[in-house]
């Protein structure tokens, strides 16, 4: 499969999770749309763009389980969640309940909001390893108080690569009357998703990670009941529109000035790629490899998986706790000496190596990584086991 991607062949690429990787045919389609735009920009924007975006939104909505007009495209999940944050009207002392496992950019965003508004971002500590879904839920809800107004939670966490029980969290949060915001950056194309069934207020997902679009394609979903309260992050032509479309929500949010819309227009092509390459079956094999190798890597580094090694908690990624004096050096060494691209991150007081597997990865890639760790372990400087 690697031939079908643009990835350089001389690097063992085990980091799909950070920014995704785009198949050649999807990237060609992206360039095609860029050219179409440049050939006749005025006609493209005025006569073609709306229908093309609607078609992409329809396909994406069908895939993630919501109506086409309940989501709009954003360049990335940060833009999506910033849109929600900028419309949030909390009182000083109110609390946003989250975990200590969230993505750093989102933590920064909520810290920004709280400093400006006198609210509290409660990052409930989650003790690892998780032993069960109930174990997580019990720890999470300990952070609830009578001032909690919002729940913000990752569907799949970043450094720790854990699938969290968002269905149960949203259900309880809604029964408590809380606003529910789910960061599903890693979810579309990775694990099954039905946003309508999940019934949260807001959901963001990246298309350019596991759903294979070129960079700059994500979305924000908002439940119908909250759409009127969501201000556009960028106020543009869709506000008080001269030519209102079928949805005020889409008018407000989708067009925010002149820019390249091409990543959004590749959605039909990427579904074709998935179909033509039996992507669901192929990624099921990648998931099985994660479950097979996660315990082996942990054993090699004298550590433990941070969750039960099951489909409930793991998709195409796993995070191996690693004891190293210098996470940056370990990452650079894996790249410079062994040609392995894999993230080594510090989150809280722990370091993690996060392994991602896509169908373009082979057993050889996994073995290359295993042998590199084995060698570093023998050398005893970067890995303390
Ligand atoms: C949980 C989570 N949220 C969001 C993002 C990405 O957000 P952005 O592309 O806006 O930086 C990531 C990226 O890895 C992530 O893991």
């Amino acid at each position: 499969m690697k031939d079908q991607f643009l990835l350089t062949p001389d690097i063992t690429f085990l980091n799909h999770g950070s920014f995704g990787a785009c198949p050649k045919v999807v990237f060609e389609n992206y360039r095609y749309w860029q050219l179409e735009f440049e050939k006749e920009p005025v006609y493209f924007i005025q006569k073609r763009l709306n229908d093309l975006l609607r078609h992409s939104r329809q396909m994406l909505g069908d895939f993630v389980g919501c109506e086409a007009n309940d989501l709009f495209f954003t360049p990335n999940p940060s833009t999506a969640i910033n849109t929600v944050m900028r419309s949030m009207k909390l009182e000083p002392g109110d609390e946003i309940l989250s975990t200590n496992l969230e993505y750093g950019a989102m933590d920064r965003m909520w810290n920004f909001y709280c400093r400006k508004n006198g609210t509290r971002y409660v990052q409930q500590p989650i003790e690892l390893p998780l032993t069960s879904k109930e174990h997580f839920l019990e720890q999470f809800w300990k952070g609830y108080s009578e001032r909690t107004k919002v729940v913000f939670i990752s569907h799949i966490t970043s450094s720790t690569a854990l699938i969290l029980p968002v269905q149960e969290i949203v259900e309880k949060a809604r029964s408590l009357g809380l606003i529910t915001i789910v960061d599903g950056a890693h979810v579309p194309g990775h694990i099954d998703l039905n946003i309508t069934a999940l019934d949260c207020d807001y959901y963001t997902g990246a298309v350019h990670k596991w759903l294979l679009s070129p960079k700059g394609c994500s979305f924000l979903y908002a439940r119908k009941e909250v759409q009127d309260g969501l201000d556009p992050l960028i106020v543009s032509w869709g506000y008080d529109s001269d030519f209102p479309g079928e949805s005020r929500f889409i008018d407000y949010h989708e067009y925010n000035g002149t820019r390249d819309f091409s990543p959004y227009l590749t959605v039909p092509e990427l579904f074709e790629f998935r179909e033509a390459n039996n992507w669901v079956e192929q990624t099921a094999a990648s998931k099985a490899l994660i479950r097979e190798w996660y315990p082996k890597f942990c054993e090699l580094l004298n550590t433990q998986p941070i969750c039960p090694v099951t489909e409930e908690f793991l998709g195409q990624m796993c995070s191996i706790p690693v004891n190293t004096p210098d996470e940056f050096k370990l990452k650079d060494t894996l790249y410079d000496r062994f040609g392995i691209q894999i993230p080594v991150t510090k989150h809280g007081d722990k370091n993690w190596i996060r392994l991602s597997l896509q169908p373009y990865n082979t057993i050889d890639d996994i073995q290359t990584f295993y042998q590199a760790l084995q060698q570093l372990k023998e050398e005893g400087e970067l890995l303390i086991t």
Side-chain angles (χ1 to χ4, degrees):
M1 284 307 298
K2 199 155 176 185
D3 272 2
Q4 298 204 41
F5 282 75
L6 287 157
L7 293 166
T8 181
D10 41 342
I11 292 295
T12 302
F13 195 77
L14 297 171
N15 187 7
H16 191 90
S18 282
F19 307 109
C22 185
K24 286 176 184 165
V25 287
V26 179
F27 202 80
E28 273 160 26
N29 185 250
Y30 166 55
R31 284 188 166 153
Y32 165 82
W33 288 119
Q34 288 182 318
L35 272 174
E36 285 297 289
F37 185 19
E38 288 301 334
K39 279 194 229 164
E40 225 297 23
V42 180
Y43 188 83
F44 193 87
I45 292 270
Q46 292 180 350
K47 301 286 184 192
R48 298 181 67 192
L49 186 62
N50 274 349
D51 287 346
L52 290 167
L53 284 172
R54 192 181 196 297
H55 182 51
S56 283
R57 247 188 291 116
Q58 182 71 56
M59 291 196 81
L60 184 59
D62 288 348
F63 186 73
V64 299
C66 71
E67 287 177 29
N69 285 344
D70 290 345
L71 66 80
F72 61 88
F73 286 109
T74 63
N76 48 52
S78 294
T79 307
I81 301 295
N82 268 265
T83 309
V84 181
M85 178 272 284
R86 292 283 183 184
S87 288
M88 196 82 78
K89 292 176 185 67
L90 300 183
E91 299 294 327
D94 284 349
E95 293 176 359
I96 299 153
L97 174 58
S98 193
T99 74
N100 62 341
L101 305 175
E102 305 306 318
Y103 186 58
M106 300 295 175
D107 289 339
R108 284 166 172 77
M109 187 202 70
W110 290 120
N111 286 336
F112 167 87
Y113 179 85
C114 288
R115 266 175 227 157
K116 272 189 129 40
N117 295 286
T119 47
R120 276 189 69 219
Y121 181 44
V122 178
Q123 290 189 266
Q124 183 58 23
I126 305 294
E127 198 186 302
L128 301 174
L130 294 177
T131 54
S132 67
K133 195 156 74 175
E134 291 68 31
H135 180 216
F136 176 86
L137 292 168
E138 193 190 313
Q139 298 190 66
F140 178 73
W141 286 112
K142 280 189 188 147
Y144 175 76
S145 84
E146 59 188 13
R147 296 307 306 266
T148 306
K149 293 290 182 305
V150 177
V151 161
F152 171 73
I153 188 92
S154 288
H155 196 163
I156 299 182
T157 60
S158 179
S159 316
T160 43
L162 294 164
I163 301 173
L164 297 183
V166 290
Q167 185 79 50
E168 287 82 351
I169 291 169
V170 169
E171 236 163 73
K172 175 156 174 180
R174 301 256 288 130
S175 76
L176 292 166
L178 311 179
I179 298 168
T180 48
I181 310 169
V182 181
D183 177 357
H186 281 282
V187 171
H190 188 168
I191 57 171
D192 288 344
L193 174 62
N194 185 324
I195 298 179
T196 306
L198 182 57
D199 203 26
C200 55
D201 291 307
Y202 303 99
Y203 193 102
T204 186
V207 179
H208 56 220
K209 287 187 191 283
W210 301 91
L211 210 40
L212 307 174
S213 78
K215 315 297 171 258
C217 187
S218 300
F219 68 90
L220 179 69
Y221 158 91
R223 202 160 55 81
K224 284 201 196 316
E225 290 79 352
V226 298
Q227 289 178 6
D228 280 352
L230 195 69
D231 295 332
L233 191 60
I234 308 284
V235 180
S236 184
W237 287 99
Y239 188 75
D240 288 341
S241 175
D242 296 332
F243 307 101
E246 60 195 44
S247 156
R248 195 191 81 155
F249 175 65
I250 299 300
D251 287 346
Y252 269 31
H253 296 281
E254 196 151 69
Y255 188 84
N256 33 40
T258 311
R259 66 196 165 93
D260 183 7
F261 291 88
S262 310
Y264 308 159
L265 307 185
T266 63
V267 167
E269 183 70 27
L270 66 86
F271 281 116
E272 234 178 275
F273 174 86
R274 285 169 55 91
E275 194 67 32
N277 290 282
N278 299 321
W279 208 247
V280 175
E281 292 79 23
Q282 289 215 67
T283 50
S286 304
K287 288 173 188 170
L289 282 172
I290 286 285
R291 295 193 299 275
E292 179 189 339
W293 282 85
Y294 188 25
K296 294 185 194 176
F297 279 110
C298 287
E299 200 184 322
L300 176 68
L301 301 190
N302 284 346
T303 180
Q304 300 291 326
I306 57 172
C307 61
V309 182
T310 61
E311 279 179 274
E312 189 177 27
F313 290 96
L314 295 169
Q316 288 170 241
M317 300 192 290
C318 62
S319 267
I320 308 150
V322 59
N323 195 357
T324 177
D326 188 340
E327 74 274 16
F328 296 110
K329 193 162 173 211
L330 177 56
K331 183 188 182 326
D332 287 348
T333 302
L334 285 166
Y335 192 80
D336 297 340
R337 266 181 66 191
F338 301 97
I340 298 168
Q341 181 61 269
I342 194 161
V344 185
T345 52
K346 190 172 207 66
H347 196 93
D349 58 352
K350 298 227 161 45
N351 290 316
W352 309 94
I353 307 184
R354 188 187 65 192
L355 172 67
S356 296
L357 292 181
Q358 268 292 48
Y360 55 70
N361 292 118
T362 59
I363 298 287
D364 278 357
D365 291 344
I366 304 176
Q367 274 162 355
T368 301
F369 175 46
Y370 191 90
Q371 282 154 14
L373 288 181
Q374 214 163 23
Q375 193 167 328
L376 291 174
K377 181 178 162 179
E378 275 160 29
E379 291 170 12
E381 207 188 303
L382 279 173
L383 289 175
I384 304 159
T385 61

